[in-house]
Structures are given as C-alpha cells and as structure tokens.
Amino acid sequence: MLFALVPPGWTALVFLLPPFPGLFGRQAVLPGLVCALWAGVAAGLLAFHPVLSGPLALAGMALVLVLVRGQLSASLVHGSLPPGSLSFAKGVRALGRRDFYQREFRRYGPIFRSSQFGAPVICVSGLARICQLLRSNADQLGPSPLSFSKSIQGNFIRYMNNDTHSFYGGLFRRAMVGPSPAEVEVSLLEQAQALLVSLSGRGWFNPHASLHRFSRECLNLLLFGFTADAIGQHFAELSEHFGCSSLGSVVRGLERRQFDELTRMLDIQLARLKLDPGTGQPILLRLSQVNSSMPDRVCLENLVFMHKIASDDVASLLLWLLYNWGVQTEISEQIRVMEATQQEQALDAFMAETLRLAQSEYLYRRVQQEFNFEGFTFPRGWIVRCCVWESHRSAEELSSPSEFRLRLDPDSYDRGHYAPFGMDRHACNGVDLSNSIARAFLKALAGGISLELKHSEPFQRRMRHWSHWAPNRAMTALLTLSS
Ligand code: HEM
C-alpha cells in the first residue's frame, strides 16, 4: 500500500513545490503532474479495486529503486567516500539554486558527494586540484556523454575514446586554433554594428532570439564560410530548426533528416570553397588544408553538432555580456571613454571577467575504473563534476574573486585560476572563434550605444545539471544610439 502511493506522491512534490514551476515551467510541471496522476490513480484503484495493489506496489518499488540508486551504489563501495548527501530530492532541488555547490563546499570541504536525478556524483572544487585530478587519473576518467553523441559517426569529439580523439582532436585543434583573418574580424564588427543599430530602432525588445541568430550567423561564416546567398540562407534556416533538438536524446525522424541534410550541405560548401577559397579561411576549408583526405563524415557530422552547441554557448556569452554591460554601468562608462588601444584591452578584460563569473560552469567526467584521490574513493560508474564556476569565485590569487571588476592586470586570468574553456586534452577548440565574435559584439556596444535593461533577474536555466545559467528569459533591453 505504502509503496503504491508514497514514492510517486513524494516525487510529485520534488518537482512541483515552489520555486520549481516558476523557474522551470513545463520541464518541472510535466514530471510532477505525471507522478501526481500516478499517485491519484493508485489511491483510486486502492480504494475501489484493492486487488490491484500488488502491481501498483511493484511499480512503486521500481520507482524507489530509481530514487535510491545513488545510496545503493554507495553501499557497495569498500573505500572511504567523500562526505555529502546522495538524496534524490536534494540533488534535484539543487537545480534551482545557483549557489548550491558553493554552499556544499563550505559545508563539506573541496570534495563532496551529491546526486543528479539519483545518479551519484562527486563534486570537486579548486582549479589546481581539478587539474591534478584530471592529469593523475587520465586513464581512469572517461567522458560522461550525452545521448546525442550516439547519432554521430565516430562519436562527438568531446566524448571520443582516447585513440579516436588523438587523431580527430589534433586535427580539429590545428584547424581551429589561431586568430581569424583581419577581413573576417572587420566583417564581424560590421555585422555586430548593423545588429545593434537595427535593434536600437525597436524600443524595448527581448534580446534572446536576436543574439542567438547573430551567434549562429557568425559561426556560419567562421566555421563554414557561408554568406547570405541561397545556400547560406538554406543552411541558416535549417540549422535554426535543428538547433531546437535536444542533446539529451538520440537524433531521430525529422531531426535525423535535418541532420543528414545539414551534413550534405557542408559537403557541397566544401566543394565550393575548394573552387573559390576566398580570404576567410573557414574551419571547413582549413580541415582539408591540414589533412588533404579530410574532412570525412566523422568531421562533417561533428561540425554540425559543434555549430549547434557552440551557437548556444556563444549566444549565452553574448547575453551575459549584454547583461553585464547594462548592469556594470560604472565600468562600461569608464571603457566607453578610453582611447582605442586601451579600450581594446579593457574590452578583453570585460569579456574575460564575464566568462569567469557568468559563462563558465563545470567539466564532467565519468569514473571508468575505481581510484583514490586525496584520501577518497572515486567508485566506477560515478560521475565527476569539476566545479569551475565555484573555483573561479573562490580563487585565493584574486582579490574579491566573486566580484565583477575591470581587472586589467593580465595575471588576473592566469590559467592557474581561470579556466572557462576547460583544461585537459578536451579543452575548448573554439576559444579564438568565440573571442572574435564576443569582441566584435562588445566593440559595437562600446561604440556609441547606450543600454537599459529590465526583468533580467532572477537568472534561469533548463532543468538539467549540465545546462548553463542565463539572464531571465523575460529580459528586455532598450538600445539608444548615443553619439
Ligand atoms: C562561450 C563560449 C564557449 C565556452 C564557454 C566553451 C567551453 C568549453 C569547455 C569548458 C570545454 C571543455 C569540455 C570538457 O572538457 O568536458 C569545451 C570543449 C569544446 N569546445 Fe567549447 N566553448 C565555447 C565556445 C566554443 C566554440 C565557438 C566552439 C567551436 C565552434 C567550441 C568547440 C568546442 C569543442 C570542439 C570542444 C571539445 C574539444 C575536444 O574534446 O577536443 N566551443 N568548450
């Protein structure tokens, strides 16, 4: 009787108690209602057809097993586990608190255990410690892949095994690292200026869609050399639709057809670029210059997903830049009146500070073979969350590390305490591309636009532990051409 009713009723509360419905909308309400309905049906059936209580109790027990799988896994471990709680409810409710990990580090120390939808996780803070953990246990730690990767031939680059990654990781890095050609930088700046001028005529507007589009358009150019011609337009439209597909599931049906079509279009674009390379040096072409038998199907499919994921990453960065520019008014005003060279350095520092405090969050790995680190056992199958955002905010090398400041001393962003783009063999390939786009956007903002913001808080995220926090989806902006 208890098993039939209590587990679904309790799970419903985990998803439906405030602030979850307000923060996550449908993502919280749907599972909450399903569990509430389950509990309601169970109560009705138990009242009127008690004979059904057996199967209902079995279903409830299955749910309990899912809820306590972290604790079950912990009970099988012989060594000393990090302190912390594997409670399903606490792990899910953590999604609604941006300071959850900081508070737990304060309570338990730099390594603690937690749960993500029941799966056991070990959280680690401190960049030096994280670096040591990843280095000294490189063979025991593997990727923690999201399901979309199964749709890609050879896997997504982040989740490739070491042998495959040695080839493709090196190939992509050689093709992607390095500044963009000067013409491309100019073109990005012009696009950013045109965007802001057009938005300045719109009164109060929600910037999310415009910044997502701008991010995608910049990456269309930098990655593939697409312009606004017919094929470029077609790619832009299709990739916008494909951008809505979930990373948490395998690509199927219509999305699979879109994915195949996008891959086919990259093949066509490569042939066009080979005939007329131009001066832009898009990554698609650079891959073939680094290795003449590339890009193969693995590269092309990876590029489609890289474009999709990076469009979101860069769009989030642009939203945070806009937010900080609007909120840190003293700093933005100070930068606006600087002379050109000094202003460029200050804009780079503004961007780095935004990455440090807003955009960077974590690195995930999965334990493939049990090992010990700093006196704690890391059991096989457990997830490791390296908490980069929290490490940035507690860096002892910086004064007031959790405050947004204009830090012009280059040591402020030393790799020892600054890693928004990751740190081991899987560190980000797109740093230069991301910087080019963000720099162009900031330069355009600093060049005679005044900005006001409304409804930018509370910050929001999707209801997943790997999703990034962002300014509120209801945020609106007013841009005015000032001089
Ligand atoms: C705001 C912008 C961005 C941020 C904060 C960011 C952050 C990161 C981080 C933290 C990692 C390491 C993940 C891990 O170790 O598990 C990573 C990897 C990666 N990023 Fe980015 N990224 C950004 C933009 C981009 C862009 C624009 C591209 C390319 C178009 C890109 C391509 C990649 C790739 C390919 C990897 C995997 C590299 C490998 O496994 O060899 N990223 N990124």
Side-chain angles (χ1 to χ4, degrees):
M1 170 79 179
L2 277 183
F3 274 115
L5 268 180
V6 177
W10 179 83
T11 313
L13 290 180
V14 171
F15 289 107
L16 292 179
L17 282 178
F20 266 41
L23 260 183
F24 301 120
R26 234 166 30 134
Q27 299 166 69
V29 172
L30 264 183
L33 285 184
V34 167
C35 290
L37 192 69
W38 174 355
V41 170
L45 286 177
L46 283 169
F48 298 108
H49 302 283
V51 72
L52 289 172
S53 62
L56 281 176
L58 276 180
M61 273 187 212
L63 179 59
V64 170
L65 285 180
V66 173
L67 301 181
V68 301
R69 66 191 161 125
Q71 285 95 333
L72 285 180
S73 164
S75 69
L76 301 175
V77 176
H78 294 301
S80 156
L81 282 171
S85 160
L86 290 170
S87 145
F88 176 90
K90 188 169 178 182
V92 172
R93 302 293 296 180
L95 284 161
R97 300 203 60 139
R98 203 177 186 205
D99 64 353
F100 169 78
Y101 299 97
Q102 277 175 305
R103 290 157 60 102
E104 297 293 276
F105 285 127
R106 276 199 292 274
R107 179 167 176 198
Y108 295 116
I111 304 182
F112 73 88
R113 67 177 191 262
S114 180
S115 125
Q116 297 189 351
F117 293 104
V121 185
I122 297 183
C123 307
V124 185
S125 91
L127 291 190
R129 178 174 294 104
I130 292 170
C131 187
Q132 173 70 15
L133 170 75
L134 296 181
R135 272 209 194 128
S136 58
N137 299 286
D139 294 337
Q140 285 84 27
L141 286 169
S144 177
L146 296 175
S147 298
F148 79 90
S149 183
K150 292 187 197 134
S151 323
I152 300 177
Q153 207 174 97
N155 264 329
F156 187 54
I157 181 167
R158 259 188 203 185
Y159 309 134
M160 284 175 180
N161 64 37
N162 284 354
D163 287 343
T164 318
H165 187 264
S166 293
F167 177 74
Y168 286 102
L171 174 72
F172 271 109
R173 204 162 292 281
R174 270 180 287 153
M176 293 175 76
V177 171
S180 308
E183 301 87 320
V184 175
E185 300 273 343
V186 171
S187 161
L188 291 177
L189 179 59
E190 285 170 358
Q191 284 189 42
Q193 285 164 335
L195 172 77
L196 294 185
V197 169
S198 76
L199 293 174
S200 68
R202 281 180 37 182
W204 286 97
F205 69 98
N206 185 317
H208 282 73
S210 313
L211 294 188
H212 267 89
R213 192 168 317 112
F214 176 68
S215 161
R216 269 197 312 276
E217 281 168 6
C218 292
L219 286 167
N220 288 347
L221 178 72
L222 293 169
L223 287 172
F224 311 127
F226 279 129
T227 54
D229 63 6
I231 183 166
Q233 284 291 345
H234 184 36
F235 186 90
E237 280 161 26
L238 202 55
S239 60
E240 183 175 351
H241 291 300
F242 188 62
C244 302
S245 65
S246 161
L247 295 176
S249 51
V250 176
V251 177
R252 291 205 177 86
L254 174 66
E255 285 167 0
R256 179 76 233 185
R257 290 196 292 282
Q258 290 172 340
F259 178 35
D260 290 339
E261 174 66 0
L262 289 167
T263 311
R264 193 183 70 82
M265 289 174 77
L266 292 191
D267 233 351
I268 298 173
Q269 176 68 356
L270 177 63
R272 293 196 335 159
L273 288 170
K274 281 184 173 166
L275 283 176
D276 178 11
T279 51
Q281 290 285 302
I283 307 305
L284 186 62
L285 186 64
R286 280 204 238 168
L287 283 166
S288 73
Q289 291 164 346
V290 171
N291 181 330
S292 57
S293 58
M294 292 290 140
D296 60 2
R297 182 90 190 174
V298 176
C299 292
L300 294 181
E301 293 194 359
N302 260 279
L303 278 168
V304 172
F305 267 93
M306 230 180 261
H307 174 268
K308 169 179 160 62
I309 296 169
S311 297
D312 284 346
D313 283 345
V314 174
S316 303
L317 174 59
L318 298 177
L319 277 167
W320 280 119
L321 288 171
L322 187 80
Y323 170 82
N324 279 335
W325 196 259
V327 169
Q328 305 292 340
T329 42
E330 254 180 51
I331 296 180
S332 44
E333 198 44 46
Q334 190 188 340
I335 297 179
R336 256 163 55 80
V337 296
M338 285 177 176
E339 57 84 21
T341 320
Q342 205 192 3
Q343 188 183 68
E344 283 195 5
Q345 283 167 3
L347 289 177
D348 276 358
F350 190 94
M351 180 164 75
E353 193 68 349
T354 302
L355 280 160
R356 192 177 74 81
L357 290 177
Q359 178 67 20
S360 49
E361 292 194 11
Y362 53 73
L363 306 175
Y364 271 110
R365 297 290 182 268
R366 192 174 282 272
V367 181
Q368 291 183 329
Q369 250 174 47
E370 184 171 301
F371 61 89
N372 283 297
F373 180 74
E374 295 202 355
F376 296 121
T377 301
F378 281 57
R380 183 159 182 258
W382 284 37
I383 297 169
V384 177
R385 179 182 169 113
C386 304
C387 295
V388 175
W389 186 78
E390 293 74 11
S391 306
H392 283 165
R393 292 189 162 238
S394 59
E396 284 164 8
E397 297 82 351
L398 292 184
S399 60
S400 308
S402 57
E403 263 177 41
F404 192 102
R405 290 189 175 178
L406 187 58
R407 299 176 197 266
L408 293 169
D409 171 6
D411 288 346
S412 305
Y413 302 105
D414 183 275
R415 281 164 55 171
H417 50 265
Y418 176 68
F421 292 105
M423 57 172 68
D424 65 351
R425 62 182 298 158
H426 290 287
C428 185
N429 286 337
V431 182
D432 293 315
L433 302 183
S434 174
N435 284 349
S436 295
I437 301 170
R439 202 175 279 137
F441 179 70
L442 268 184
K443 221 170 168 176
L445 257 185
I449 302 268
S450 74
L451 166 67
E452 286 172 70
L453 295 175
K454 278 202 294 207
H455 314 304
S456 51
E457 294 177 26
F459 302 143
Q460 282 181 310
R461 73 189 307 191
R462 293 191 55 226
M463 208 184 66
R464 290 284 183 282
H465 293 84
W466 41 262
S467 85
H468 294 289
W469 286 91
N472 199 288
R473 280 185 290 278
M475 178 168 87
T476 50
L478 180 66
L479 296 178
T480 321
L481 295 178
S482 48
S483 55

